[in-house]
């Protein structure tokens, strides 16, 4: 009896890895054998948006390289604090009029913010200033969301998004799935997550079983920006998900100093396919305050896409899109090179 209780309450491997994430820039720099030249800026930027980097992700960073594209995504730097015209706290105007935990931006899809926060804090995140605390979901809110969805026949897909929905324990995910099962028009459940990349052990047997038993097909949209973010552990997690019938897609953000190179983007698409994931979107950066140093201009983005189209089969070329507040969908960019 005692042993059983212990095993029920002991944190799972993924929860231990979550708790062990780097949150102190000084510790991360020391771990990677980097000097403290940028430490003051890192600490100041981390005070605005905390650093968080799980160890399985950090293990893929090349030690001693301050320009490593994976490090660039997670290390706070002083440039985040420099004002930049046009870069604002809420670039997609999500913070006004939203119901707790629910965003209904697109007609047929409702987006549920099941958990605030993520396992990793990406420095370019468009929700880096999002008031997650106002969107905490308890059982009453989940029931209300389920009623909202069931009352709107035009909603045929629910998207669980970030914060990272897989930070929820399996029991909380199961409760949501059960509540949504009352909406007869739903055809898909979609999950936007970076956890299987940053902490692959999150793909537990229990989670896979839950997704396999859901009353609708499940689509998982990963967020990977560079081919080195995928390793053997991610491959194994993807195999478990695919064996359960889950469709795997990926969205990336085009980021200066990370993946603004056609060879890197082509290698990313090839590596994703090796893992059983299809490239879906390549987003232009959302202009959130603190991320201006990541921006790649539209002309350069189009030129990169032209190189990708020449280098890859069409099914490995993601759609280049920008999200525009108030538009009924993501806005695809015209890829014809304008004079
Ligand atoms: S995983 Fe996504 S939601 Fe979370 S910090 Fe990164 S970009 Fe933002």
């Amino acid at each position: 009896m005692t042993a059983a209780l212990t095993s029920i309450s002991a944190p799972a491997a993924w929860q231990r890895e979550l708790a062990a994430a780097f949150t102190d820039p000084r510790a991360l720099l020391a771990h990677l054998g980097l000097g403290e030249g940028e430490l003051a800026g890192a600490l100041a930027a981390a005070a605005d948006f905390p650093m968080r980097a799980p160890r399985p992700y950090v293990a893929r960073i090349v030690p001693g390289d301050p320009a490593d594209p994976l490090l660039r995504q997670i290390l706070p730097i002083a440039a985040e604090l420099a004002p930049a015209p046009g870069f604002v706290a809420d670039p997609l105007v999500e913070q006004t009029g939203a119901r707790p935990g629910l965003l209904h931006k697109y007609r047929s899809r409702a987006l549920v913010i099941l958990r605030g926060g993520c396992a990793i804090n990406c420095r370019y995140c468009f929700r880096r200033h999002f008031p997650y605390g106002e969107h905490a979901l308890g059982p009453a809110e989940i029931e209300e969301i389920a009623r909202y969805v069931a009352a709107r026949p035009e909603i045929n897909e629910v998207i669980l998004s970030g914060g990272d929905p897989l930070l929820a324990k399996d029991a909380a995910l199961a409760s949501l799935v059960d509540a949504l099962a009352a909406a007869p028009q739903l055809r898909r459940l979609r999950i936007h997550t970076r956890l299987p990349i940053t902490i692959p052990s999150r793909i537990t047997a229990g989670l896979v079983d839950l997704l396999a038993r859901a009353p609708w097909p499940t689509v998982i949209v990963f967020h990977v920006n560079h081919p080195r973010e995928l390793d053997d552990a991610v491959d194994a997690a993807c195999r478990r998900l695919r064996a359960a019938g889950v469709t795997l897609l990926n969205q990336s953000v085009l980021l200066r100093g990370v993946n603004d190179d056609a060879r890197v983007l082509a290698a990313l698409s090839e590596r994703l396919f090796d893992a059983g994931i299809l490239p879906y979107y390549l987003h232009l950066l959302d202009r959130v305050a603190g991320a201006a140093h990541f921006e790649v201009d539209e002309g350069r983005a189009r030129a990169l896409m032209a190189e990708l189209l020449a280098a890859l089969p069409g099914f490995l070329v993601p759609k280049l899109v920008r999200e525009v507040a108030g538009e009924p969908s993501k806005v695809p960019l015209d890829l014809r090179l304008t004079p």
Side-chain angles (χ1 to χ4, degrees), residues 49 117-122 124-128 132 162-164 193-194 223:
F49 178 46
C118 291
I120 189 168
N121 281 352
C122 310
Y124 50 84
C125 180
F126 72 99
R127 293 199 181 120
R128 57 181 281 166
Y132 285 118
D164 199 310
T193 177
R194 196 148 156 69
H223 172 180

Side-chain angles (χ1 to χ4, degrees), residues 180-220:
L180 289 173
Q185 80 279 17
L186 283 188
R187 303 187 66 165
R188 286 176 295 281
L189 177 70
R190 193 189 330 169
I191 300 174
H192 287 187
T193 177
R194 196 148 156 69
L195 254 172
I197 306 301
T198 58
I199 304 182
S201 59
R202 175 64 187 99
I203 306 305
T204 58
L207 176 65
V208 170
D209 187 49
L210 170 67
L211 298 179
R213 287 188 294 104
W216 334 270
T218 304
V219 179
I220 291 189

